[in-house]
Amino acid sequence: MERTIGIGLLGAGTVGGTLVRRLVGESEAIASKTGLTFDVRKVGVRDLSRPREFDVTEGMLTTEPTEVVDDPSVDIVVEVMGGLEPAGDLILAALEAGKPVITANKELIAARGPELIAAAERKGVPLLFEAAVGGGIPIIRPLSETLAGEHLERILGIVNGTTNYILSQMTEAGVTYEEALAEAKALGYAEPDPTADVSGADAASKAAILASLAFGTWVGPSDVYTEGIEAVDAMDIAFGADFGYVVKLIGTAERIGSGVNVRVHPAMVPVEHPLAGIRGATNAVFIEGPSIDSLLFSGPGAGGEPTATAVLGDVIDAARETLAGAQVAPRIRFSAADVVPFEQVPTRWYVRLLVDDKPGVLAKIAGAFGEAGVSIRSVWQEGVDSEAALIIVTHHAAEASQRRAVEAFESIPDVIEVASVIRVLGDRV
Ligand code: NAP
Ligand code: HSE
């Protein structure tokens, strides 16, 4: 059956602009490979005067996004405007109208996933969001389909391109945090408000989505313990390198007993771990399960081209289902998550202290760790005049115990400052 599929976009910035250019410019190649012909019919934007990277035809642009959803010639709605509203209600309206929806909006899927997925199921239309995690990396489909039968145990992800780019530039090129962030913005990696990137919030949304799909228990963004990279010091990156670690912002989704824990924080990643070599805006998702042992998915995690590729794949998938008249079967069933508080999760810590360089200090610090039930793995000290930098790496102990030890340093007068605390990536315990 030959039919041209009408596409409506909500947003035409970094991702949407690239998608329109490719839908138009690569239409013949897409048609010859898939048998599908697309026509971009309506595009919702905020500013009509902004230059676009595609040819704007008469009547194509509107500043009234409901016109995109309501246009009867639009068969599939692509939401690439970002943010919770009006994106959320527009998607709901499109689904209610029986239109398949594609979105790259991880913030929205993490916040309102169950409601939106339920609306899509009710109407029997696809709601696809491959681009929401990992940019151009296919990860949503493998988790929801190929790996649906595996009892996944842990997912470790570098799921924010901006922060990985910043940390890589600080590590490899000696660039400052501010300079690297400015570069990430110019390269189109950062969110419109890059606070979402550097604070870990963007990675937390993605980690919540990955956890929900992997474990079949819905985890919301507020269930994710989140720390960003704002406090990562170039000194810790350098010390980490000396001790065989690379500092990365890691999202972890892990089964703990019968529950799950999901967290995002900077981590010292051992150089031999596959995630240590993931550089620049590249993302990677490392998946562990009893039958698959481990799998690594990696690739470009941000930027217009790779992200538009994932969106385009979803558009083609949704078009096939639309043409087939298929009632879309739910892919993953979600139950409520039993979220284990981070305090109960075994972690390992790297702690950098500034102390008075005098007899007995190390013993007092070791004593605080011992009283909290934390065993020390290694200690390194370098004196400068009457002070010393002291770096301690611990063995696994409950996160609460690690915190208790470091809090106890406040009552040791010789501890001048707890300069930094970074968790160390370890095996599952
Ligand atoms: P962007 O460059 O800021 O583009 C946003 C687009 O939406 C712009 O065209 C803007 O209009 C339009 N828009 C925003 N609010 C609107 C409103 N209220 N009414 C009408 N139009 C509105 O953002 P982006 O980087 O393409 O990101 C889009 C989505 O993809 C976000 O959810 C983001 O998290 C996700 N994503 C982005 C990447 C990436 O690398 N950039 C990767 C994966 C996922 P104007 O053009 O007129 O300003
Ligand atoms: N701002 C996001 C990032 C875009 O840097 O990873 C991709 O989701």
PDB file of all heavy atoms in Angstrom, residues 26-59:
ATOM      1  N   GLU A  26      16.700  13.418   2.498  1.00  0.00           N
ATOM      2  CA  GLU A  26      17.020  11.998   2.294  1.00  0.00           C
ATOM      3  C   GLU A  26      15.761  11.198   1.964  1.00  0.00           C
ATOM      4  O   GLU A  26      15.723   9.984   2.149  1.00  0.00           O
ATOM      5  CB  GLU A  26      17.697  11.438   3.561  1.00  0.00           C
ATOM      6  CG  GLU A  26      19.026  12.117   3.867  1.00  0.00           C
ATOM      7  CD  GLU A  26      19.592  11.777   5.249  1.00  0.00           C
ATOM      8  OE1 GLU A  26      19.189  10.754   5.838  1.00  0.00           O
ATOM      9  OE2 GLU A  26      20.417  12.562   5.739  1.00  0.00           O
ATOM     10  N   SER A  27      14.730  11.887   1.477  1.00  0.00           N
ATOM     11  CA  SER A  27      13.441  11.200   1.288  1.00  0.00           C
ATOM     12  C   SER A  27      13.550  10.035   0.307  1.00  0.00           C
ATOM     13  O   SER A  27      12.952   8.975   0.524  1.00  0.00           O
ATOM     14  CB  SER A  27      12.362  12.191   0.843  1.00  0.00           C
ATOM     15  OG  SER A  27      12.739  12.777  -0.373  1.00  0.00           O
ATOM     16  N   GLU A  28      14.344  10.215  -0.743  1.00  0.00           N
ATOM     17  CA  GLU A  28      14.429   9.124  -1.741  1.00  0.00           C
ATOM     18  C   GLU A  28      15.119   7.901  -1.136  1.00  0.00           C
ATOM     19  O   GLU A  28      14.675   6.765  -1.328  1.00  0.00           O
ATOM     20  CB  GLU A  28      15.204   9.590  -2.966  1.00  0.00           C
ATOM     21  CG  GLU A  28      14.319  10.380  -3.920  1.00  0.00           C
ATOM     22  CD  GLU A  28      15.068  10.816  -5.169  1.00  0.00           C
ATOM     23  OE1 GLU A  28      16.042  10.155  -5.560  1.00  0.00           O
ATOM     24  OE2 GLU A  28      14.658  11.857  -5.719  1.00  0.00           O
ATOM     25  N   ALA A  29      16.213   8.163  -0.422  1.00  0.00           N
ATOM     26  CA  ALA A  29      16.945   7.042   0.192  1.00  0.00           C
ATOM     27  C   ALA A  29      16.051   6.325   1.210  1.00  0.00           C
ATOM     28  O   ALA A  29      16.034   5.090   1.275  1.00  0.00           O
ATOM     29  CB  ALA A  29      18.210   7.562   0.863  1.00  0.00           C
ATOM     30  N   ILE A  30      15.305   7.106   1.984  1.00  0.00           N
ATOM     31  CA  ILE A  30      14.425   6.493   2.992  1.00  0.00           C
ATOM     32  C   ILE A  30      13.339   5.674   2.288  1.00  0.00           C
ATOM     33  O   ILE A  30      13.046   4.533   2.667  1.00  0.00           O
ATOM     34  CB  ILE A  30      13.781   7.586   3.896  1.00  0.00           C
ATOM     35  CG1 ILE A  30      14.854   8.269   4.756  1.00  0.00           C
ATOM     36  CG2 ILE A  30      12.689   6.979   4.786  1.00  0.00           C
ATOM     37  CD1 ILE A  30      14.386   9.524   5.480  1.00  0.00           C
ATOM     38  N   ALA A  31      12.778   6.227   1.227  1.00  0.00           N
ATOM     39  CA  ALA A  31      11.706   5.528   0.507  1.00  0.00           C
ATOM     40  C   ALA A  31      12.227   4.239  -0.116  1.00  0.00           C
ATOM     41  O   ALA A  31      11.571   3.192  -0.067  1.00  0.00           O
ATOM     42  CB  ALA A  31      11.101   6.437  -0.556  1.00  0.00           C
ATOM     43  N   SER A  32      13.446   4.305  -0.699  1.00  0.00           N
ATOM     44  CA  SER A  32      13.919   3.094  -1.370  1.00  0.00           C
ATOM     45  C   SER A  32      14.268   2.014  -0.357  1.00  0.00           C
ATOM     46  O   SER A  32      14.124   0.830  -0.622  1.00  0.00           O
ATOM     47  CB  SER A  32      15.091   3.397  -2.303  1.00  0.00           C
ATOM     48  OG  SER A  32      16.287   3.385  -1.603  1.00  0.00           O
ATOM     49  N   LYS A  33      14.676   2.414   0.844  1.00  0.00           N
ATOM     50  CA  LYS A  33      15.041   1.405   1.855  1.00  0.00           C
ATOM     51  C   LYS A  33      13.819   0.876   2.604  1.00  0.00           C
ATOM     52  O   LYS A  33      13.766  -0.302   2.985  1.00  0.00           O
ATOM     53  CB  LYS A  33      16.020   2.035   2.841  1.00  0.00           C
ATOM     54  CG  LYS A  33      16.734   1.040   3.726  1.00  0.00           C
ATOM     55  CD  LYS A  33      17.860   1.726   4.461  1.00  0.00           C
ATOM     56  CE  LYS A  33      18.454   0.821   5.515  1.00  0.00           C
ATOM     57  NZ  LYS A  33      19.389   1.531   6.365  1.00  0.00           N
ATOM     58  N   THR A  34      12.842   1.745   2.860  1.00  0.00           N
ATOM     59  CA  THR A  34      11.733   1.337   3.735  1.00  0.00           C
ATOM     60  C   THR A  34      10.393   1.238   3.013  1.00  0.00           C
ATOM     61  O   THR A  34       9.433   0.698   3.566  1.00  0.00           O
ATOM     62  CB  THR A  34      11.548   2.372   4.872  1.00  0.00           C
ATOM     63  OG1 THR A  34      11.129   3.611   4.284  1.00  0.00           O
ATOM     64  CG2 THR A  34      12.827   2.591   5.654  1.00  0.00           C
ATOM     65  N   GLY A  35      10.327   1.802   1.809  1.00  0.00           N
ATOM     66  CA  GLY A  35       9.044   1.831   1.102  1.00  0.00           C
ATOM     67  C   GLY A  35       8.118   2.910   1.645  1.00  0.00           C
ATOM     68  O   GLY A  35       6.939   2.959   1.288  1.00  0.00           O
ATOM     69  N   LEU A  36       8.638   3.782   2.494  1.00  0.00           N
ATOM     70  CA  LEU A  36       7.791   4.801   3.133  1.00  0.00           C
ATOM     71  C   LEU A  36       8.140   6.192   2.619  1.00  0.00           C
ATOM     72  O   LEU A  36       9.315   6.521   2.444  1.00  0.00           O
ATOM     73  CB  LEU A  36       7.990   4.781   4.651  1.00  0.00           C
ATOM     74  CG  LEU A  36       7.575   3.502   5.356  1.00  0.00           C
ATOM     75  CD1 LEU A  36       8.155   3.466   6.763  1.00  0.00           C
ATOM     76  CD2 LEU A  36       6.056   3.381   5.404  1.00  0.00           C
ATOM     77  N   THR A  37       7.111   6.988   2.391  1.00  0.00           N
ATOM     78  CA  THR A  37       7.325   8.374   1.975  1.00  0.00           C
ATOM     79  C   THR A  37       6.759   9.290   3.055  1.00  0.00           C
ATOM     80  O   THR A  37       5.629   9.094   3.509  1.00  0.00           O
ATOM     81  CB  THR A  37       6.592   8.652   0.649  1.00  0.00           C
ATOM     82  OG1 THR A  37       6.968   7.645  -0.282  1.00  0.00           O
ATOM     83  CG2 THR A  37       6.977  10.016   0.094  1.00  0.00           C
ATOM     84  N   PHE A  38       7.575  10.266   3.452  1.00  0.00           N
ATOM     85  CA  PHE A  38       7.149  11.184   4.510  1.00  0.00           C
ATOM     86  C   PHE A  38       7.032  12.593   3.970  1.00  0.00           C
ATOM     87  O   PHE A  38       7.771  12.998   3.074  1.00  0.00           O
ATOM     88  CB  PHE A  38       8.166  11.169   5.667  1.00  0.00           C
ATOM     89  CG  PHE A  38       8.261   9.835   6.355  1.00  0.00           C
ATOM     90  CD1 PHE A  38       9.319   8.974   6.100  1.00  0.00           C
ATOM     91  CD2 PHE A  38       7.267   9.428   7.236  1.00  0.00           C
ATOM     92  CE1 PHE A  38       9.394   7.739   6.721  1.00  0.00           C
ATOM     93  CE2 PHE A  38       7.338   8.192   7.867  1.00  0.00           C
ATOM     94  CZ  PHE A  38       8.405   7.341   7.605  1.00  0.00           C
ATOM     95  N   ASP A  39       6.119  13.331   4.551  1.00  0.00           N
ATOM     96  CA  ASP A  39       5.964  14.743   4.187  1.00  0.00           C
ATOM     97  C   ASP A  39       5.805  15.533   5.484  1.00  0.00           C
ATOM     98  O   ASP A  39       4.892  15.258   6.277  1.00  0.00           O
ATOM     99  CB  ASP A  39       4.708  14.895   3.301  1.00  0.00           C
ATOM    100  CG  ASP A  39       4.567  16.322   2.792  1.00  0.00           C
ATOM    101  OD1 ASP A  39       5.610  17.003   2.646  1.00  0.00           O
ATOM    102  OD2 ASP A  39       3.423  16.767   2.570  1.00  0.00           O
ATOM    103  N   VAL A  40       6.724  16.489   5.683  1.00  0.00           N
ATOM    104  CA  VAL A  40       6.629  17.307   6.897  1.00  0.00           C
ATOM    105  C   VAL A  40       5.572  18.372   6.667  1.00  0.00           C
ATOM    106  O   VAL A  40       5.714  19.234   5.809  1.00  0.00           O
ATOM    107  CB  VAL A  40       7.990  17.952   7.235  1.00  0.00           C
ATOM    108  CG1 VAL A  40       7.863  18.827   8.486  1.00  0.00           C
ATOM    109  CG2 VAL A  40       9.051  16.879   7.447  1.00  0.00           C
ATOM    110  N   ARG A  41       4.490  18.284   7.442  1.00  0.00           N
ATOM    111  CA  ARG A  41       3.330  19.136   7.152  1.00  0.00           C
ATOM    112  C   ARG A  41       3.233  20.360   8.067  1.00  0.00           C
ATOM    113  O   ARG A  41       2.801  21.412   7.640  1.00  0.00           O
ATOM    114  CB  ARG A  41       2.053  18.292   7.303  1.00  0.00           C
ATOM    115  CG  ARG A  41       2.062  17.041   6.408  1.00  0.00           C
ATOM    116  CD  ARG A  41       0.936  17.045   5.407  1.00  0.00           C
ATOM    117  NE  ARG A  41       1.158  16.180   4.273  1.00  0.00           N
ATOM    118  CZ  ARG A  41       0.678  14.940   4.129  1.00  0.00           C
ATOM    119  NH1 ARG A  41      -0.070  14.397   5.081  1.00  0.00           N
ATOM    120  NH2 ARG A  41       0.912  14.244   3.032  1.00  0.00           N
ATOM    121  N   LYS A  42       3.615  20.211   9.317  1.00  0.00           N
ATOM    122  CA  LYS A  42       3.455  21.326  10.268  1.00  0.00           C
ATOM    123  C   LYS A  42       4.581  21.259  11.298  1.00  0.00           C
ATOM    124  O   LYS A  42       4.912  20.170  11.785  1.00  0.00           O
ATOM    125  CB  LYS A  42       2.102  21.178  10.983  1.00  0.00           C
ATOM    126  CG  LYS A  42       1.461  22.449  11.418  1.00  0.00           C
ATOM    127  CD  LYS A  42       0.780  23.147  10.260  1.00  0.00           C
ATOM    128  CE  LYS A  42       0.225  24.480  10.568  1.00  0.00           C
ATOM    129  NZ  LYS A  42      -0.085  25.209   9.323  1.00  0.00           N
ATOM    130  N   VAL A  43       5.134  22.418  11.640  1.00  0.00           N
ATOM    131  CA  VAL A  43       6.244  22.465  12.599  1.00  0.00           C
ATOM    132  C   VAL A  43       5.974  23.576  13.603  1.00  0.00           C
ATOM    133  O   VAL A  43       5.870  24.750  13.224  1.00  0.00           O
ATOM    134  CB  VAL A  43       7.590  22.721  11.868  1.00  0.00           C
ATOM    135  CG1 VAL A  43       8.728  22.792  12.883  1.00  0.00           C
ATOM    136  CG2 VAL A  43       7.864  21.642  10.827  1.00  0.00           C
ATOM    137  N   GLY A  44       5.876  23.214  14.861  1.00  0.00           N
ATOM    138  CA  GLY A  44       5.640  24.211  15.915  1.00  0.00           C
ATOM    139  C   GLY A  44       6.954  24.736  16.469  1.00  0.00           C
ATOM    140  O   GLY A  44       7.839  23.945  16.822  1.00  0.00           O
ATOM    141  N   VAL A  45       7.109  26.043  16.497  1.00  0.00           N
ATOM    142  CA  VAL A  45       8.313  26.682  17.044  1.00  0.00           C
ATOM    143  C   VAL A  45       7.882  27.857  17.926  1.00  0.00           C
ATOM    144  O   VAL A  45       6.703  28.212  17.975  1.00  0.00           O
ATOM    145  CB  VAL A  45       9.253  27.193  15.924  1.00  0.00           C
ATOM    146  CG1 VAL A  45       9.804  26.053  15.094  1.00  0.00           C
ATOM    147  CG2 VAL A  45       8.530  28.217  15.042  1.00  0.00           C
ATOM    148  N   ARG A  46       8.872  28.458  18.589  1.00  0.00           N
ATOM    149  CA  ARG A  46       8.573  29.609  19.437  1.00  0.00           C
ATOM    150  C   ARG A  46       8.754  30.916  18.673  1.00  0.00           C
ATOM    151  O   ARG A  46       8.033  31.863  18.848  1.00  0.00           O
ATOM    152  CB  ARG A  46       9.536  29.591  20.637  1.00  0.00           C
ATOM    153  CG  ARG A  46       8.857  29.684  21.956  1.00  0.00           C
ATOM    154  CD  ARG A  46       9.836  29.526  23.089  1.00  0.00           C
ATOM    155  NE  ARG A  46      11.138  29.009  22.706  1.00  0.00           N
ATOM    156  CZ  ARG A  46      11.929  28.341  23.512  1.00  0.00           C
ATOM    157  NH1 ARG A  46      11.545  28.103  24.748  1.00  0.00           N
ATOM    158  NH2 ARG A  46      13.098  27.920  23.123  1.00  0.00           N
ATOM    159  N   ASP A  47       9.775  30.924  17.792  1.00  0.00           N
ATOM    160  CA  ASP A  47      10.186  32.176  17.158  1.00  0.00           C
ATOM    161  C   ASP A  47      10.220  31.985  15.633  1.00  0.00           C
ATOM    162  O   ASP A  47      11.108  31.311  15.097  1.00  0.00           O
ATOM    163  CB  ASP A  47      11.585  32.536  17.708  1.00  0.00           C
ATOM    164  CG  ASP A  47      12.144  33.784  17.084  1.00  0.00           C
ATOM    165  OD1 ASP A  47      11.473  34.378  16.215  1.00  0.00           O
ATOM    166  OD2 ASP A  47      13.278  34.165  17.454  1.00  0.00           O
ATOM    167  N   LEU A  48       9.246  32.602  14.941  1.00  0.00           N
ATOM    168  CA  LEU A  48       9.139  32.418  13.489  1.00  0.00           C
ATOM    169  C   LEU A  48      10.315  33.024  12.730  1.00  0.00           C
ATOM    170  O   LEU A  48      10.625  32.601  11.622  1.00  0.00           O
ATOM    171  CB  LEU A  48       7.834  33.056  12.979  1.00  0.00           C
ATOM    172  CG  LEU A  48       6.531  32.370  13.388  1.00  0.00           C
ATOM    173  CD1 LEU A  48       5.337  33.173  12.892  1.00  0.00           C
ATOM    174  CD2 LEU A  48       6.472  30.942  12.858  1.00  0.00           C
ATOM    175  N   SER A  49      10.976  34.009  13.352  1.00  0.00           N
ATOM    176  CA  SER A  49      12.046  34.715  12.626  1.00  0.00           C
ATOM    177  C   SER A  49      13.406  34.006  12.760  1.00  0.00           C
ATOM    178  O   SER A  49      14.371  34.388  12.102  1.00  0.00           O
ATOM    179  CB  SER A  49      12.163  36.153  13.150  1.00  0.00           C
ATOM    180  OG  SER A  49      12.610  36.123  14.491  1.00  0.00           O
ATOM    181  N   ARG A  50      13.474  32.971  13.593  1.00  0.00           N
ATOM    182  CA  ARG A  50      14.769  32.305  13.796  1.00  0.00           C
ATOM    183  C   ARG A  50      15.172  31.543  12.515  1.00  0.00           C
ATOM    184  O   ARG A  50      14.331  30.853  11.918  1.00  0.00           O
ATOM    185  CB  ARG A  50      14.626  31.329  14.969  1.00  0.00           C
ATOM    186  CG  ARG A  50      15.911  30.721  15.417  1.00  0.00           C
ATOM    187  CD  ARG A  50      15.695  29.832  16.644  1.00  0.00           C
ATOM    188  NE  ARG A  50      16.708  28.803  16.686  1.00  0.00           N
ATOM    189  CZ  ARG A  50      16.753  27.812  17.543  1.00  0.00           C
ATOM    190  NH1 ARG A  50      15.818  27.691  18.467  1.00  0.00           N
ATOM    191  NH2 ARG A  50      17.714  26.925  17.514  1.00  0.00           N
ATOM    192  N   PRO A  51      16.453  31.663  12.086  1.00  0.00           N
ATOM    193  CA  PRO A  51      16.871  30.917  10.887  1.00  0.00           C
ATOM    194  C   PRO A  51      16.748  29.408  11.123  1.00  0.00           C
ATOM    195  O   PRO A  51      17.008  28.926  12.225  1.00  0.00           O
ATOM    196  CB  PRO A  51      18.341  31.310  10.700  1.00  0.00           C
ATOM    197  CG  PRO A  51      18.592  32.449  11.618  1.00  0.00           C
ATOM    198  CD  PRO A  51      17.552  32.430  12.674  1.00  0.00           C
ATOM    199  N   ARG A  52      16.335  28.668  10.101  1.00  0.00           N
ATOM    200  CA  ARG A  52      16.179  27.206  10.205  1.00  0.00           C
ATOM    201  C   ARG A  52      17.175  26.519   9.280  1.00  0.00           C
ATOM    202  O   ARG A  52      17.574  27.091   8.272  1.00  0.00           O
ATOM    203  CB  ARG A  52      14.746  26.795   9.807  1.00  0.00           C
ATOM    204  CG  ARG A  52      13.655  27.458  10.628  1.00  0.00           C
ATOM    205  CD  ARG A  52      13.580  26.940  12.052  1.00  0.00           C
ATOM    206  NE  ARG A  52      12.893  27.903  12.915  1.00  0.00           N
ATOM    207  CZ  ARG A  52      12.851  27.801  14.245  1.00  0.00           C
ATOM    208  NH1 ARG A  52      13.449  26.808  14.867  1.00  0.00           N
ATOM    209  NH2 ARG A  52      12.224  28.710  14.955  1.00  0.00           N
ATOM    210  N   GLU A  53      17.523  25.277   9.619  1.00  0.00           N
ATOM    211  CA  GLU A  53      18.478  24.568   8.760  1.00  0.00           C
ATOM    212  C   GLU A  53      17.768  23.760   7.666  1.00  0.00           C
ATOM    213  O   GLU A  53      18.350  22.881   7.041  1.00  0.00           O
ATOM    214  CB  GLU A  53      19.405  23.672   9.582  1.00  0.00           C
ATOM    215  CG  GLU A  53      18.719  22.651  10.459  1.00  0.00           C
ATOM    216  CD  GLU A  53      19.740  21.729  11.135  1.00  0.00           C
ATOM    217  OE1 GLU A  53      20.502  21.077  10.427  1.00  0.00           O
ATOM    218  OE2 GLU A  53      19.741  21.680  12.377  1.00  0.00           O
ATOM    219  N   PHE A  54      16.471  24.079   7.427  1.00  0.00           N
ATOM    220  CA  PHE A  54      15.725  23.418   6.358  1.00  0.00           C
ATOM    221  C   PHE A  54      14.913  24.483   5.632  1.00  0.00           C
ATOM    222  O   PHE A  54      14.718  25.590   6.139  1.00  0.00           O
ATOM    223  CB  PHE A  54      14.798  22.340   6.945  1.00  0.00           C
ATOM    224  CG  PHE A  54      13.919  22.837   8.064  1.00  0.00           C
ATOM    225  CD1 PHE A  54      12.651  23.378   7.814  1.00  0.00           C
ATOM    226  CD2 PHE A  54      14.356  22.792   9.394  1.00  0.00           C
ATOM    227  CE1 PHE A  54      11.839  23.840   8.846  1.00  0.00           C
ATOM    228  CE2 PHE A  54      13.545  23.260  10.429  1.00  0.00           C
ATOM    229  CZ  PHE A  54      12.292  23.780  10.157  1.00  0.00           C
ATOM    230  N   ASP A  55      14.480  24.153   4.420  1.00  0.00           N
ATOM    231  CA  ASP A  55      13.669  25.100   3.648  1.00  0.00           C
ATOM    232  C   ASP A  55      12.281  25.164   4.261  1.00  0.00           C
ATOM    233  O   ASP A  55      11.602  24.139   4.390  1.00  0.00           O
ATOM    234  CB  ASP A  55      13.567  24.654   2.186  1.00  0.00           C
ATOM    235  CG  ASP A  55      14.910  24.796   1.486  1.00  0.00           C
ATOM    236  OD1 ASP A  55      15.715  25.645   1.932  1.00  0.00           O
ATOM    237  OD2 ASP A  55      15.153  24.032   0.531  1.00  0.00           O
ATOM    238  N   VAL A  56      11.890  26.391   4.616  1.00  0.00           N
ATOM    239  CA  VAL A  56      10.572  26.570   5.243  1.00  0.00           C
ATOM    240  C   VAL A  56       9.557  26.858   4.133  1.00  0.00           C
ATOM    241  O   VAL A  56       9.701  27.810   3.380  1.00  0.00           O
ATOM    242  CB  VAL A  56      10.612  27.745   6.244  1.00  0.00           C
ATOM    243  CG1 VAL A  56       9.227  27.978   6.839  1.00  0.00           C
ATOM    244  CG2 VAL A  56      11.630  27.479   7.336  1.00  0.00           C
ATOM    245  N   THR A  57       8.561  25.998   4.025  1.00  0.00           N
ATOM    246  CA  THR A  57       7.540  26.201   2.992  1.00  0.00           C
ATOM    247  C   THR A  57       6.375  26.997   3.578  1.00  0.00           C
ATOM    248  O   THR A  57       6.206  27.079   4.814  1.00  0.00           O
ATOM    249  CB  THR A  57       7.039  24.852   2.444  1.00  0.00           C
ATOM    250  OG1 THR A  57       6.589  24.070   3.541  1.00  0.00           O
ATOM    251  CG2 THR A  57       8.144  24.112   1.705  1.00  0.00           C
ATOM    252  N   GLU A  58       5.595  27.559   2.709  1.00  0.00           N
ATOM    253  CA  GLU A  58       4.436  28.384   3.090  1.00  0.00           C
ATOM    254  C   GLU A  58       3.534  27.642   4.084  1.00  0.00           C
ATOM    255  O   GLU A  58       3.121  26.508   3.826  1.00  0.00           O
ATOM    256  CB  GLU A  58       3.661  28.698   1.785  1.00  0.00           C
ATOM    257  CG  GLU A  58       2.419  29.536   1.941  1.00  0.00           C
ATOM    258  CD  GLU A  58       2.751  31.008   2.153  1.00  0.00           C
ATOM    259  OE1 GLU A  58       3.777  31.467   1.652  1.00  0.00           O
ATOM    260  OE2 GLU A  58       1.959  31.668   2.855  1.00  0.00           O
ATOM    261  N   GLY A  59       3.278  28.255   5.217  1.00  0.00           N
ATOM    262  CA  GLY A  59       2.330  27.679   6.182  1.00  0.00           C
ATOM    263  C   GLY A  59       2.889  26.542   7.025  1.00  0.00           C
ATOM    264  O   GLY A  59       2.180  25.955   7.848  1.00  0.00           O
TER     265      GLY A  59
END
